[in-house]
Amino acid sequence: MTDPAIVANGLRKSYGDKVVLDGVDLAVPEGTIFALLGPNGAGKTTAVKILSTLVSPDPASGEIRVGGHDLAADPQAARAAIGVTGQFSAVDGLITGEENMLLMADLHHLSRSEGRRVTAELLERFDLVEAAKKPASTYSGGMKRRLDIAMTLVGGPRIIFLDEPTTGLDPRSRHTMWQIIRELVTGGVTVFLTTQYLEEADRLADRIAVLDGGRIAAEGTAEELKRLIPGGHVRLRFSDPAAYRSAVSALGQVTTDDEALALQIPNDGSQRELRSVLDRLERAGIEADELTVHTPDLDDVFFALTGGAGLPHQSKESVR
Ligand SMILES: Nc1ncnc2c1ncn2[C@@H]1O[C@H](COP(=O)(O)OP(=O)(O)O)[C@@H](O)[C@H]1O
Ligand SMILES: [Mg+2]
């Protein structure tokens, strides 16, 4: 096991007497996507700014390490490992996309020829070749975000922070951005993203942390989070009516669908509970034709964890 790319212990931040982060613990393994999920004002941007060395945590915070470097002891080394793409972009609208890229290459002390090479490669990769010579102010929202990420990649960061990378984008651009984020990780980069969208976290992230009231209310894979709350069940379907009827009597507490020869039994989807259902079927000598596990979705989880603090509910259609 290598060191996690990002580790925070007891991360705290207050502005005046307003506590924004109240002891946040995080660990993000290298080469994974981590989503910090929370509604507006939850403290997501504050967390990103602290982890990317732009803002200092409160002195009462525990150790924070980014890219293997202690933020307090060696912020420069941590900074060298990371790239940040903000909710409010670093793109300069007055100059062209290409000029923005070359400026970034300059900031990273790349030679002129190396800067040109990296710029051309990234413009190509992010489908910005046609737009390269136009002022960035003429770009669509999606193009600006793509340019922003391309600029972040100029320095070859191992860890990338994306603060609400798809907020305000239309569904198509959101999908493109998801694709881009997945590709970043394929190349070995670690992605720390913030989002207000449950579905985004569900689709992209290896692990999700739910930020609520300055603390992590829950952390895990999407599947683990879904298993935290009741409402999961196993559905068994049969082709043989006799087997179906035997299963209904063998399993007891079930919801039945006689027409479909299907039954549902409450189940949290854990290995232990699944095995207990299978054992009972086996003892009765019954075999189901189909078994599916249904876990509640992240909306259910968020509401259970936070008492419904009001994430914007994307309509499912709008993001397909
Ligand atoms: N520089 C600051 N000074 C005072 N309050 C701040 C500052 N930055 C953020 N806050 C407050 O901290 C809280 C969390 O903000 P933020 O981290 O931007 O949340 P999010 O990104 O989740 O929407 C908000 O109440 C915000 O007003
Ligand atoms: Mg924010």
Side-chain angles (χ1 to χ4, degrees):
M1 280 283 296
T2 50
D3 257 0
I6 303 168
V7 194
N9 292 302
L11 171 54
R12 292 174 190 282
K13 182 72 185 177
S14 301
Y15 288 107
D17 54 12
K18 181 174 173 54
V19 179
V20 178
L21 299 174
D22 189 18
V24 167
D25 300 324
L26 298 169
V28 182
E30 219 173 90
T32 65
I33 303 182
F34 181 89
L36 186 62
L37 176 68
N40 229 337
K44 301 182 297 298
T45 298
T46 302
V48 165
K49 282 187 171 164
I50 291 172
L51 294 173
S52 58
T53 77
L54 299 173
V55 162
S56 306
D58 288 349
S61 297
E63 192 185 39
I64 304 170
R65 300 180 73 82
V66 175
H69 307 285
D70 185 327
L71 275 200
D74 201 354
Q76 292 286 1
R79 208 169 295 144
I82 66 176
V84 188
T85 302
Q87 192 176 356
F88 304 103
S89 137
V91 173
D92 181 344
L94 294 177
I95 58 177
T96 70
E98 186 175 46
E99 287 162 348
N100 269 289
M101 294 291 291
L102 292 170
L103 201 63
M104 216 57 187
D106 250 12
L107 284 175
H108 285 281
H109 309 293
L110 300 189
S111 72
R112 232 182 127 72
S113 61
E114 181 67 359
R116 295 223 156 262
R117 191 188 64 75
V118 169
T119 292
E121 190 185 296
L122 287 168
L123 288 173
E124 170 83 39
R125 176 167 159 199
F126 290 104
D127 197 18
L128 291 166
V129 173
E130 259 175 66
K133 309 272 188 214
K134 294 179 186 143
S137 59
T138 64
Y139 289 15
S140 69
M143 287 161 76
K144 271 189 197 138
R145 299 283 170 97
R146 296 207 305 276
L147 177 59
D148 207 359
I149 293 197
M151 286 165 65
T152 306
L153 292 182
V154 167
R158 301 294 304 152
I159 301 170
I160 295 181
F161 292 92
L162 299 172
D163 193 9
E164 298 200 27
T166 68
T167 297
L169 292 186
D170 62 71
R172 213 187 134 110
S173 307
R174 167 166 292 139
H175 273 265
T176 306
M177 194 55 69
W178 288 352
Q179 197 54 43
I180 287 171
I181 293 169
R182 289 195 189 101
E183 283 166 11
L184 290 176
V185 171
T186 312
V189 165
T190 305
V191 173
F192 184 107
L193 71 87
T194 72
T195 183
Q196 303 190 38
Y197 302 125
L198 293 158
E199 182 166 20
E200 180 159 286
D202 195 359
R203 289 202 180 193
L204 282 181
D206 296 297
R207 300 190 75 79
I208 301 167
V210 180
L211 189 58
D212 182 52
R215 291 167 181 269
I216 303 297
E219 199 265 348
T221 64
E223 294 310 314
E224 285 167 354
L225 293 182
K226 288 171 193 172
R227 260 186 250 121
L228 284 178
I229 63 162
H233 62 264
V234 165
R235 181 180 162 90
L236 299 168
R237 206 183 48 74
F238 299 83
S239 48
D240 173 11
Y244 166 68
R245 281 191 299 273
S246 320
V248 171
S249 56
L251 293 172
Q253 292 260 316
V254 297
T255 313
T256 54
D257 179 348
D258 291 342
E259 210 159 307
L261 299 183
L263 62 86
Q264 284 188 11
I265 179 161
N267 196 291
D268 67 3
S270 68
Q271 192 174 338
R272 192 176 47 80
E273 287 206 6
L274 274 177
R275 184 177 296 128
S276 125
V277 170
L278 295 176
D279 282 351
R280 275 188 283 166
L281 287 173
E282 184 149 339
R283 274 198 299 273
I286 308 162
E287 198 171 317
D289 293 277
E290 190 182 293
L291 180 152
T292 40
V293 180
H294 293 262
T295 44
D297 71 13
L298 278 178
D299 285 340
D300 305 324
V301 177
F302 198 86
F303 275 88
L305 290 173
T306 67
L311 282 178
H313 280 252
Q314 271 175 296
S315 93
K316 306 261 178 198
E317 287 73 35
S318 72
V319 290
R320 290 252 153 85

